[in-house]
Each structure stands twice: as structure tokens, then as C-alpha cells.
Amino acid sequence: MSISVLFVCLGNICRSPTAHGVLLRKLSERGLGQRVQVDSAGTGAWHAGEPPDRRAQRHAATRGYDLSGLGARQVESADFRRFTHILAMDRANLADLEQMRPADFSGELALFLSYGSRGLLEVPDPYYGGAQGFEEVLDLVEDAAEGLIARIGLPA
Ligand code: 4NP
């Protein structure tokens, strides 16, 4: 079975594009870039068509992640047919996705940090905060991306 991962936050300009860029690079470092499809989306549509927040791009770039090519979009019901893993950044995102979930969706709908090891289950929204919030997003996302790759059951 092929694996496809959709990261979902509220605006799709801070947390989920960060997760998207981090997982893409970690997969490509392991030669797994062709095995897993990765995308991100927001439960809201306010920023549709926009690139990631400049602060998210800048902090990610200091760790070598290039988010500049990503563009925001709203999550849609067809995503439940396209993705095997739909991973929410916080409980509000998860609750919104559970409302949309088709009865026949047999993939995984979960909090992304359920794959992490830091003892937190939600990625705090950095949008209205300062630089430290963006660094914390990167710390949490890098840790959970490692856990996801370890547990996702990638074919040899
Ligand atoms: P994100 O952050 O959900 O991590 O992309 C936000 C981006 C925009 C807004 C809220 C959160 N907003 O209210 O516009």
C-alpha cells in the first residue's frame, strides 16, 4: 500500500507547511522521497493561494528547509480519498476534520504529535506570537516527523 500524508492546521501558512517541508526533506535524505506523497492544507480558506508566512519561511530556512514553493489551500472532502494519513496540528483542527470524515475513510486521522516524543499533543499556533513560537513549531515538528518515519511502516 502506498502512503500519502496530509498535514492540516488552521491557515496552512505556519504549522502545516512547516511539517510538509520538514517531512519532505527527511524523506528525501533517506531516499524515500518517491515512496510517500506529502501535502498540507488548512481548515480555513483565508490564506488560500498564499505562500507560507514569511516568519515560518525564515525560521525553517535557518534549519535548511525551503518552504518557498508551497501554497496554501483549504482541506476538502476529496482529501479523504487521496491521503492515507491525515494529521492535524491541534485538537480544533482534528475536530473540524472529524466533522468532514466520510464513513468509509479507512486511513488514519490523528494528531501529528501522537508520533512525537516530547509529551505534547498539540503544535501551538505561532501566528500571533513571536520568534520563539516558530522555533518551538520546528522543534516539535522535527521530532514528530522522525517518529512518523519510524512508525509509518514504509516498504523496504
Ligand atoms: P497556522 O497559523 O494555522 O499554523 O497556519 C495561522 C495562520 C493564520 C491564522 C491563524 C493561524 N489566521 O487567523 O489568519
Side-chain angles (χ1 to χ4, degrees):
M1 187 192 81
S2 73
I3 290 165
S4 46
V5 178
L6 180 68
F7 293 112
V8 178
C9 63
L10 179 60
N12 192 207
I13 55 169
C14 297
R15 293 166 294 173
S16 63
T18 299
H20 185 165
V22 167
L23 184 62
L24 276 183
R25 203 191 77 192
K26 287 185 179 296
L27 290 168
S28 112
E29 282 168 0
R30 291 163 172 78
L32 297 169
Q34 306 303 313
R35 299 282 185 86
V36 184
Q37 186 197 338
V38 183
D39 198 2
S40 62
T43 58
W46 310 285
H47 298 282
E50 295 177 16
D53 184 286
R54 295 238 295 270
R55 299 164 295 172
Q57 289 197 50
R58 195 169 62 242
H59 284 273
T62 66
R63 301 192 193 191
Y65 305 108
D66 179 11
L67 309 185
S68 65
L70 303 179
R73 71 173 179 88
Q74 188 171 29
V75 67
E76 57 189 16
S77 55
D79 288 319
F80 286 89
R81 296 194 297 274
R82 295 189 191 116
F83 293 93
T84 60
H85 292 66
I86 299 182
L87 302 177
M89 295 296 141
D90 64 33
R91 289 187 175 88
N93 309 146
L94 183 61
D96 287 340
L97 290 163
E98 277 165 354
Q99 295 290 317
M100 299 174 67
R101 177 190 184 132
D104 63 352
F105 176 67
S106 59
E108 169 151 322
L109 174 58
L111 290 169
F112 178 37
L113 293 194
S114 65
Y115 290 95
S117 65
R118 298 287 175 92
L120 258 188
L121 280 176
E122 301 185 283
V123 183
D125 187 343
Y127 188 66
Y128 294 106
Q132 183 53 39
F134 287 87
E135 290 297 311
E136 185 182 16
V137 169
L138 280 159
D139 290 341
L140 292 168
V141 160
E142 287 183 328
D143 173 66
E146 295 286 343
L148 178 64
I149 288 171
R151 275 169 49 199
I152 207 166
L154 284 165

